[in-house]
Amino acid sequence: MRYESYRSVDRPALIQLWNDVFREQRHFLPMTEQLWRERIERTLDSGGGDTAFEPELLRVAHDDQQVVGFAHGGEWHEAWCRALFPGTRLRAAGYLACIAVTPAARRSGVGRGLVASLRATIDQRAGASVPLRVDGRMFNPYYGNGRAPTAPLWGTPEGLAVAAGDAAMRAFLADCGFLEHQTAVALAATPSAGRASQRCKIEVRDDCSPVLGTDLTEPFLETNRSRTWLALRDGEAAGALVAYPLSGRVWGIHSLQVHPDHEGSGLGSALISRLLSDLVEVADSVEVLTLPEESPGALHLYSKAGFQPVADWLIFT
């Protein structure tokens, strides 16, 4: 078995592997050559410096001439570590964002080999041994794949989060040294017409991320098909809900914010109600991902609005 950096010649085999492995996942996104080029091989400008696709961080497993798996990861430098792991003194860490192995090659050590290859590559780049974490947020469609609300790349709502019932994947990650961290709960509701809110004026805007408490807006860093429901009081943004087409006739809620000065005033409920009313003609379901341990209030708010649990995901660290 050989573990090598990604080469463009691997592209067709990886696209096929992607579609075979992730086909049964919720909100599966069929991979095409155009999508692969646009979403994986392109260079991103994050506003704080260019982040280029780096082939050596996409490790590919070859059995003779056949591609049998891949693992994709990256590096978090000190500023990211401080933001992601408050209270720690990590100056650098590696992360595993995605892993896939063909069914025929599973239970033969390919997955562990891919993780070891990625770990060694990151250590070599860092010039020292650094921790390897599971990236459970960056490729999350509900949080926007890190940059904007777009359909998920890696087949699950939380990157390498796994379905609670997927005992094999849980055992594999545990065997690689990763720990189960918390449970994320996906909730869904059926759009239905409701009465207009008397609590605030709500405007619907395309592709904008409002700065709450002001009349300003900032665009997302990437083009996407999201909409923002903006709650206004006295001409200022007091709350905002961002949603986008997730897959088929399913929409996902990317974020819901209420300015601290207006918390407890019912703006969150008003925004959810307006969203469900506006999507009656275009969506059969609206989903949102909640982290009950971090935000029990969000789980309560959506449950009160009629959202029901549809999937549990385990997030690893």
Side-chain angles (χ1 to χ4, degrees):
M1 195 71 61
R2 306 189 320 275
Y3 302 98
E4 300 176 334
S5 299
Y6 169 76
R7 301 170 300 164
S8 58
V9 69
D10 297 324
R11 188 188 303 122
L14 290 177
I15 290 173
Q16 184 63 51
L17 189 156
W18 175 297
N19 289 330
D20 290 344
V21 169
F22 291 136
R23 191 177 308 279
E24 301 304 319
Q25 296 284 2
R26 288 177 60 82
H27 310 311
F28 166 67
L29 179 66
M31 184 57 68
T32 64
E33 181 164 345
Q34 179 181 350
L35 189 60
W36 184 276
R37 291 177 182 273
E38 290 178 352
R39 298 276 296 277
I40 295 178
E41 293 185 5
R42 67 193 175 104
T43 298
L44 303 175
D45 181 359
S46 64
D50 291 339
T51 302
F53 168 68
E54 298 177 274
E56 63 268 31
L57 294 174
L58 178 51
R59 311 304 299 169
V60 181
H62 294 265
D63 186 1
D64 291 330
Q65 300 302 312
Q66 184 179 7
V67 171
V68 296
F70 73 89
H72 192 201
E75 302 161 289
W76 288 316
H77 300 293
E78 187 169 1
W80 270 104
C81 288
R82 287 200 304 267
L84 293 170
F85 313 114
T88 70
R89 296 182 179 180
L90 283 176
R91 293 184 177 273
Y95 64 83
L96 172 65
C98 179
I99 187 167
V101 176
T102 60
R106 291 173 188 169
R107 298 180 178 84
S108 64
V110 174
R112 289 190 296 276
L114 283 165
V115 171
S117 177
L118 177 64
R119 189 190 302 270
T121 301
I122 292 173
D123 285 349
Q124 184 178 25
R125 288 164 57 95
S129 178
V130 300
L132 184 67
R133 306 292 183 98
V134 167
D135 180 0
R137 303 282 179 91
M138 292 298 290
F139 295 101
N140 174 352
Y142 297 98
Y143 298 134
N145 278 328
R147 302 188 182 278
T150 47
L153 278 176
W154 300 129
T156 73
E158 276 285 340
L160 257 185
V162 299
D166 190 345
M169 187 61 172
R170 292 173 63 181
F172 166 73
L173 291 174
D175 186 54
C176 290
F178 300 113
L179 302 175
E180 295 181 10
H181 176 52
Q182 61 178 315
T183 299
V185 180
L187 307 171
T190 302
S192 59
R195 294 187 301 177
S197 173
Q198 303 301 313
R199 300 178 184 273
C200 59
K201 177 183 178 182
I202 298 178
E203 293 183 357
V204 183
R205 305 184 182 182
D206 289 332
D207 191 18
C208 67
S209 182
V211 179
L212 295 184
T214 75
D215 60 356
L216 302 177
T217 60
E218 292 181 350
F220 283 111
L221 292 175
E222 295 182 7
T223 301
N224 61 90
R225 296 189 295 156
S226 66
R227 295 182 194 169
T228 298
W229 281 256
L230 192 61
L232 300 173
R233 280 190 171 169
D234 300 324
E236 294 187 341
L241 187 158
V242 180
Y244 65 103
L246 182 57
S247 63
R249 286 178 57 86
V250 178
W251 276 59
I253 294 177
H254 168 68
S255 63
L256 173 60
Q257 306 173 68
V258 174
H259 191 278
D261 291 347
H262 299 280
E263 290 179 352
S265 64
L267 290 188
S269 296
L271 285 164
I272 294 172
S273 178
R274 173 65 183 273
L275 168 77
L276 294 176
S277 180
D278 285 354
L279 295 183
V280 166
E281 299 297 329
V282 298
D284 296 326
S285 178
V286 177
E287 292 197 12
V288 64
L289 197 71
T290 62
L291 300 170
E293 295 176 35
E294 289 187 16
S295 183
L299 179 63
H300 174 74
L301 177 65
Y302 287 111
S303 299
K304 187 174 67 172
F307 284 73
Q308 299 292 324
V310 291
D312 289 345
W313 303 91
L314 292 172
I315 301 175
F316 282 73
T317 188

